[in-house]
Amino acid sequence: PGQPFAEVLMPSGSGQAVAIARVEVLENFEEMPFCETAVAEPPMLGTLAEDGNLQLDAAGASCRYRVRETSDATECLEGSWVVVTGSSNALLMWNTLLMMLAPSEAGDQRTGRFGGAHLLDVVIEDGVIIHYATVRSWLDTCEQSTAHGAVNETACRMTYAETLNTAPAHSPKRIRLTMFLSFYWARTGTALDLIETNQAWAAAKVNLLVQVV
């Protein structure tokens, strides 16, 4: 916070007003140690630095998160299966990760990427999408009508299983990203059951991201 260098005052209801002020920028940010992330509650409170990263306060000690580039994320996730369940915000996170791991295909408007699918299943190898499958949202068998799940959850589970089984087999160089549209916890439970019983990717390390409200 600071005093404004310039400002424009306007009567209420007359439009937007603008103020310009100096904000103190953190120095020596790169000298901060990396935060410990393998904990139940990673640190989240902190201050925005000039480079767009955060200096976080963890247990009284300042720290920072490591900024990952595409090569780092690929090396970290190779051979793993990243599963995302949730609604619109989860889909945005899934898409962000997809575009990071396959940047050359970021502009490709594939079916269901930004809506219109109950399930999206992608396999990436060497930065290229080698498999892309969806279950479209118009399919009544996967409708989520109540918090307890649809009455046809069994039929939906079969449809999901058939789609997931079309993916190429696991290998140490492949990364799998799967998005389950999940408005309620019941559908997330279905997703976890299907991942656990999928034999073709049984050797993969599974990373789960859940956003259900």
Side-chain angles (χ1 to χ4, degrees), residues 1 19-20 36 48 57 72 77 92-93 101 118 124 130 145 157 210:
I20 301 174
E36 175 58 51
L48 189 65
D57 300 320
D72 299 321
L77 293 175
L92 289 174
M93 288 185 278
L101 296 173
H118 283 295
I124 299 170
I130 63 170
S145 56
R157 185 187 297 256
V210 179

mmCIF file of all heavy atoms in Angstrom, residues 1 19-20 36 48 57 72 77 92-93 101 118 124 130 145 157 210:
data_model
loop_
_atom_site.group_PDB
_atom_site.id
_atom_site.type_symbol
_atom_site.label_atom_id
_atom_site.label_comp_id
_atom_site.label_asym_id
_atom_site.label_seq_id
_atom_site.Cartn_x
_atom_site.Cartn_y
_atom_site.Cartn_z
ATOM 1 N N PRO A 1 0.825 -1.192 0.000
ATOM 2 C CA PRO A 1 0.000 0.000 0.000
ATOM 3 C C PRO A 1 0.863 1.247 0.000
ATOM 4 O O PRO A 1 1.974 1.244 0.482
ATOM 5 C CB PRO A 1 -0.823 -0.132 1.280
ATOM 6 C CG PRO A 1 -0.023 -1.054 2.148
ATOM 7 C CD PRO A 1 0.688 -1.986 1.240
ATOM 8 N N ALA A 19 -6.678 5.320 -10.016
ATOM 9 C CA ALA A 19 -5.641 5.819 -9.108
ATOM 10 C C ALA A 19 -4.358 5.056 -9.391
ATOM 11 O O ALA A 19 -4.374 3.854 -9.641
ATOM 12 C CB ALA A 19 -6.057 5.643 -7.656
ATOM 13 N N ILE A 20 -3.228 5.749 -9.387
ATOM 14 C CA ILE A 20 -1.922 5.145 -9.639
ATOM 15 C C ILE A 20 -1.071 5.316 -8.384
ATOM 16 O O ILE A 20 -0.955 6.418 -7.849
ATOM 17 C CB ILE A 20 -1.223 5.802 -10.837
ATOM 18 C CG1 ILE A 20 -2.090 5.671 -12.096
ATOM 19 C CG2 ILE A 20 0.144 5.163 -11.064
ATOM 20 C CD1 ILE A 20 -1.541 6.406 -13.287
ATOM 21 N N GLU A 36 7.951 -26.486 1.674
ATOM 22 C CA GLU A 36 7.678 -27.910 1.790
ATOM 23 C C GLU A 36 6.248 -28.155 1.308
ATOM 24 O O GLU A 36 5.294 -27.609 1.853
ATOM 25 C CB GLU A 36 7.835 -28.371 3.238
ATOM 26 C CG GLU A 36 7.449 -29.814 3.467
ATOM 27 C CD GLU A 36 8.259 -30.772 2.613
ATOM 28 O OE1 GLU A 36 9.493 -30.676 2.624
ATOM 29 O OE2 GLU A 36 7.633 -31.612 1.929
ATOM 30 N N LEU A 48 2.821 -11.202 -3.153
ATOM 31 C CA LEU A 48 3.142 -11.321 -4.574
ATOM 32 C C LEU A 48 4.432 -10.575 -4.891
ATOM 33 O O LEU A 48 4.614 -9.423 -4.516
ATOM 34 C CB LEU A 48 1.996 -10.750 -5.417
ATOM 35 C CG LEU A 48 2.081 -10.981 -6.927
ATOM 36 C CD1 LEU A 48 1.981 -12.462 -7.238
ATOM 37 C CD2 LEU A 48 0.984 -10.206 -7.640
ATOM 38 N N ASP A 57 4.626 -17.393 3.742
ATOM 39 C CA ASP A 57 5.001 -17.474 5.146
ATOM 40 C C ASP A 57 4.582 -18.840 5.669
ATOM 41 O O ASP A 57 3.396 -19.123 5.791
ATOM 42 C CB ASP A 57 4.320 -16.382 5.954
ATOM 43 C CG ASP A 57 4.711 -14.998 5.460
ATOM 44 O OD1 ASP A 57 5.896 -14.819 5.128
ATOM 45 O OD2 ASP A 57 3.838 -14.117 5.397
ATOM 46 N N ASP A 72 10.199 -29.590 -16.828
ATOM 47 C CA ASP A 72 10.194 -30.058 -15.441
ATOM 48 C C ASP A 72 8.924 -30.844 -15.130
ATOM 49 O O ASP A 72 8.964 -31.897 -14.493
ATOM 50 C CB ASP A 72 10.290 -28.867 -14.478
ATOM 51 C CG ASP A 72 11.571 -28.071 -14.664
ATOM 52 O OD1 ASP A 72 12.614 -28.701 -14.894
ATOM 53 O OD2 ASP A 72 11.520 -26.835 -14.580
ATOM 54 N N LEU A 77 5.978 -35.950 -14.209
ATOM 55 C CA LEU A 77 4.731 -36.687 -14.386
ATOM 56 C C LEU A 77 4.827 -37.882 -15.321
ATOM 57 O O LEU A 77 3.853 -38.627 -15.459
ATOM 58 C CB LEU A 77 3.640 -35.739 -14.890
ATOM 59 C CG LEU A 77 3.203 -34.649 -13.905
ATOM 60 C CD1 LEU A 77 2.220 -33.700 -14.569
ATOM 61 C CD2 LEU A 77 2.591 -35.262 -12.653
ATOM 62 N N LEU A 92 -10.948 -26.152 -16.144
ATOM 63 C CA LEU A 92 -9.932 -25.148 -16.481
ATOM 64 C C LEU A 92 -8.549 -25.605 -16.021
ATOM 65 O O LEU A 92 -7.560 -25.443 -16.746
ATOM 66 C CB LEU A 92 -10.287 -23.810 -15.843
ATOM 67 C CG LEU A 92 -11.480 -23.064 -16.442
ATOM 68 C CD1 LEU A 92 -11.800 -21.823 -15.618
ATOM 69 C CD2 LEU A 92 -11.207 -22.674 -17.890
ATOM 70 N N MET A 93 -8.465 -26.184 -14.832
ATOM 71 C CA MET A 93 -7.181 -26.684 -14.337
ATOM 72 C C MET A 93 -6.683 -27.835 -15.200
ATOM 73 O O MET A 93 -5.485 -27.931 -15.505
ATOM 74 C CB MET A 93 -7.317 -27.109 -12.879
ATOM 75 C CG MET A 93 -7.470 -25.943 -11.911
ATOM 76 S SD MET A 93 -7.479 -26.438 -10.165
ATOM 77 C CE MET A 93 -9.196 -26.929 -9.980
ATOM 78 N N LEU A 101 1.650 -29.541 -20.909
ATOM 79 C CA LEU A 101 2.343 -30.776 -21.262
ATOM 80 C C LEU A 101 2.368 -31.043 -22.764
ATOM 81 O O LEU A 101 3.228 -31.785 -23.244
ATOM 82 C CB LEU A 101 1.686 -31.957 -20.538
ATOM 83 C CG LEU A 101 1.777 -31.933 -19.013
ATOM 84 C CD1 LEU A 101 0.942 -33.043 -18.405
ATOM 85 C CD2 LEU A 101 3.229 -32.048 -18.550
ATOM 86 N N HIS A 118 -18.854 -35.373 -20.357
ATOM 87 C CA HIS A 118 -18.846 -35.911 -18.999
ATOM 88 C C HIS A 118 -17.463 -36.443 -18.632
ATOM 89 O O HIS A 118 -17.089 -36.464 -17.465
ATOM 90 C CB HIS A 118 -19.837 -37.075 -18.881
ATOM 91 C CG HIS A 118 -21.268 -36.656 -18.777
ATOM 92 N ND1 HIS A 118 -21.755 -35.949 -17.720
ATOM 93 C CD2 HIS A 118 -22.318 -36.863 -19.617
ATOM 94 C CE1 HIS A 118 -23.060 -35.729 -17.891
ATOM 95 N NE2 HIS A 118 -23.415 -36.274 -19.036
ATOM 96 N N ILE A 124 -0.499 -38.472 -23.376
ATOM 97 C CA ILE A 124 0.527 -37.628 -23.995
ATOM 98 C C ILE A 124 1.856 -38.365 -23.970
ATOM 99 O O ILE A 124 2.222 -38.994 -22.968
ATOM 100 C CB ILE A 124 0.664 -36.291 -23.234
ATOM 101 C CG1 ILE A 124 -0.656 -35.527 -23.274
ATOM 102 C CG2 ILE A 124 1.801 -35.450 -23.803
ATOM 103 C CD1 ILE A 124 -0.687 -34.321 -22.349
ATOM 104 N N ILE A 130 -1.404 -38.492 -28.082
ATOM 105 C CA ILE A 130 -1.491 -39.698 -28.905
ATOM 106 C C ILE A 130 -2.838 -40.397 -28.737
ATOM 107 O O ILE A 130 -3.129 -41.352 -29.459
ATOM 108 C CB ILE A 130 -0.343 -40.676 -28.590
ATOM 109 C CG1 ILE A 130 -0.435 -41.164 -27.130
ATOM 110 C CG2 ILE A 130 1.011 -40.033 -28.862
ATOM 111 C CD1 ILE A 130 0.520 -42.311 -26.824
ATOM 112 N N SER A 145 -28.259 -35.990 -11.480
ATOM 113 C CA SER A 145 -29.465 -35.241 -11.126
ATOM 114 C C SER A 145 -29.595 -34.939 -9.646
ATOM 115 O O SER A 145 -30.282 -33.995 -9.258
ATOM 116 C CB SER A 145 -30.708 -36.012 -11.586
ATOM 117 O OG SER A 145 -30.704 -37.328 -11.035
ATOM 118 N N ARG A 157 -21.187 -46.040 -15.365
ATOM 119 C CA ARG A 157 -19.918 -46.663 -15.019
ATOM 120 C C ARG A 157 -19.434 -47.573 -16.150
ATOM 121 O O ARG A 157 -18.240 -47.589 -16.483
ATOM 122 C CB ARG A 157 -20.076 -47.472 -13.727
ATOM 123 C CG ARG A 157 -18.802 -48.080 -13.189
ATOM 124 C CD ARG A 157 -19.129 -48.982 -12.015
ATOM 125 N NE ARG A 157 -19.719 -48.232 -10.923
ATOM 126 C CZ ARG A 157 -19.064 -47.892 -9.821
ATOM 127 N NH1 ARG A 157 -17.803 -48.227 -9.680
ATOM 128 N NH2 ARG A 157 -19.672 -47.231 -8.858
ATOM 129 N N VAL A 210 -9.368 -32.998 -6.804
ATOM 130 C CA VAL A 210 -10.817 -33.007 -6.639
ATOM 131 C C VAL A 210 -11.320 -31.591 -6.340
ATOM 132 O O VAL A 210 -10.763 -30.909 -5.476
ATOM 133 C CB VAL A 210 -11.254 -33.952 -5.504
ATOM 134 C CG1 VAL A 210 -12.761 -33.934 -5.332
ATOM 135 C CG2 VAL A 210 -10.763 -35.363 -5.770
#
